Amino acid sequence: MIDYQIKHKKNPISSLFPFTLKFLFVLFIIFTSPLFAKVSLVASISDIKYIAEQIAGERADVYGMIRGVDDPHFVMTRPDFLVKLSEADVLCVVGLDLEVGWVPYLQQQSRNMKIQKGQPGYCDTSFGVKILGEPTVMMDRSMGDMHIYGNPHYWNDPINAIQMAQNIKNALTRVDPLNGEYYEGNFNAFKKRLIQVTKEEMKKMEPYFGLKVAVFHDQFVYLASRFKFNANLTIEERPGVPPSVRYMDQVISYMIAEKIKIILIGPYHNPKYAEYVSSKVPGSVVVTLPVSVGALDTTSYEDALRMSLQKIRDASDKSK
């Protein structure tokens, strides 16, 4: 009798197995359901990647194809781009033909219908943005790397960045409607943050309203428009085409006449043309702005904005 009881006594540990298996099964169902499955989002530039991360939070894996120091006009494609795009639920781009030389090809080669134009997973972040510099005349390739839809560098205006965030939020909600409220909350928090930063920087820029600067490439027009300085003089005679000495001499004469002492360039542009012009304009300086998140050790959109405006203020103070 004693032997029988010992042989058939219930093991307290083994009795937990059915409960554990059921518990693990429930967890599996929960975390593989649409509510918890992560969205895969691919961003063309680092600024879109940063903004998407703020909106998506933990509900998406966000991949940026290029760094902040890379020129978004000219990108060498890599095999990992195609791998990411083939698996993507959302593709977010600047649009306005900025990435026309590389993104459309990658979209086609990815064979992913979800991220093609017109599909729920395609997000052109320029939607709803007031575009500056739209051409008023017919253009052709002899005019250089012109953008027929207007200047595509709109992300340097923080108010435009809010519109970009809304477009990204809408795209995430289209492909992942169960998390729509989560994305909406993150968007509202990001919007509030950018509005506060814009107010703070606008106050700091007040003494510099009307400041005239020269630029190498016409990429700071949105920043200038928002913070009320003038950036209409370009060292590039035609976009994407090295300027002639004759044209640079005209720029030099204009800078001297208008007392322009600051030349702005992006981190991916050859500085030699700006430095040549600066060497001919007494007291002038060449200032490299981050332009995008990740350049010049910036880690956020807010950092890049603050650094850009601070560099402009510092250069203006030194040139007085």
Side-chain angles (χ1 to χ4, degrees), residues 26-307:
V26 170
L27 286 180
F28 174 79
I29 294 298
I30 290 173
F31 288 102
T32 56
S33 71
L35 183 63
F36 288 93
K38 281 194 173 185
V39 173
S40 175
L41 185 149
V42 175
S44 63
I45 68 170
S46 62
D47 302 85
I48 293 178
K49 176 179 182 288
Y50 174 79
I51 296 171
E53 288 171 338
Q54 308 313 298
I55 308 306
E58 298 177 350
R59 305 292 163 85
D61 290 320
V62 180
Y63 173 81
M65 287 193 280
I66 66 173
R67 305 166 301 168
V69 294
D70 295 327
D71 186 346
H73 299 84
F74 310 106
V75 175
M76 295 293 291
T77 59
R78 305 195 312 256
D80 59 302
F81 291 176
L82 272 178
V83 173
K84 292 293 183 180
L85 285 172
S86 67
E87 301 168 349
D89 300 300
V90 179
L91 168 64
C92 294
V93 299
V94 174
L96 303 179
D97 275 357
L98 177 71
E99 308 105 333
V100 68
W102 55 288
V103 166
Y105 169 79
L106 290 170
Q107 280 178 281
Q108 181 183 20
Q109 293 299 309
S110 73
R111 305 192 180 198
N112 182 351
M113 286 304 300
K114 292 185 290 186
I115 60 169
Q116 305 303 317
K117 277 190 177 182
Q119 298 302 311
Y122 179 75
C123 175
D124 182 335
T125 61
S126 71
F127 181 78
V129 172
K130 183 180 179 181
I131 302 303
L132 304 177
E134 291 187 60
T136 56
V137 297
M138 292 292 292
M139 297 185 303
D140 57 48
R141 297 307 299 173
S142 68
M143 301 172 74
D145 185 24
M146 297 292 291
H147 296 288
I148 62 173
Y149 302 110
N151 192 307
H153 299 277
Y154 58 84
W155 66 86
N156 286 305
D157 178 346
I159 303 305
N160 290 345
I162 292 172
Q163 180 61 44
M164 296 167 70
Q166 181 168 313
N167 293 332
I168 294 168
K169 182 259 296 182
N170 291 343
L172 285 167
T173 303
R174 285 195 301 270
V175 303
D176 184 21
L178 292 177
N179 283 308
E181 288 187 12
Y182 175 81
Y183 300 135
E184 183 73 28
N186 287 348
F187 166 71
N188 289 333
F190 181 67
K191 177 181 178 179
K192 183 178 179 180
R193 202 163 77 231
L194 278 199
I195 289 174
Q196 183 60 34
V197 171
T198 303
K199 288 179 178 178
E200 292 170 358
E201 291 303 313
M202 189 69 78
K203 186 70 175 175
K204 293 177 185 177
M205 286 299 293
E206 280 183 6
Y208 304 88
F209 286 175
L211 174 70
K212 292 182 179 180
V213 304
V215 301
F216 174 70
H217 180 69
D218 189 16
Q219 65 190 126
F220 302 110
V221 61
Y222 291 95
L223 185 70
S225 177
R226 177 59 55 194
F227 293 98
K228 304 185 186 303
F229 63 94
N230 186 303
N232 295 328
L233 178 64
T234 60
I235 293 175
E236 272 187 322
E237 187 173 5
R238 291 171 292 173
V241 179
S244 66
V245 173
R246 178 176 171 275
Y247 176 75
M248 285 191 290
D249 287 342
Q250 292 175 0
V251 171
I252 291 164
S253 297
Y254 187 82
M255 287 182 66
I256 292 172
E258 294 294 317
K259 297 182 172 56
I260 297 174
K261 300 294 182 66
I262 300 171
I263 303 172
L264 305 180
I265 65 171
Y268 43 75
H269 286 128
N270 188 335
K272 71 177 183 179
Y273 302 107
E275 289 170 353
Y276 169 79
V277 171
S278 180
S279 71
K280 304 295 183 180
V281 179
S284 65
V285 293
V286 177
V287 180
T288 303
L289 301 189
V291 180
S292 286
V293 179
L296 307 186
D297 296 323
T298 58
T299 58
S300 71
Y301 180 89
E302 297 92 314
D303 283 347
L305 178 66
R306 291 190 184 103
M307 180 185 287

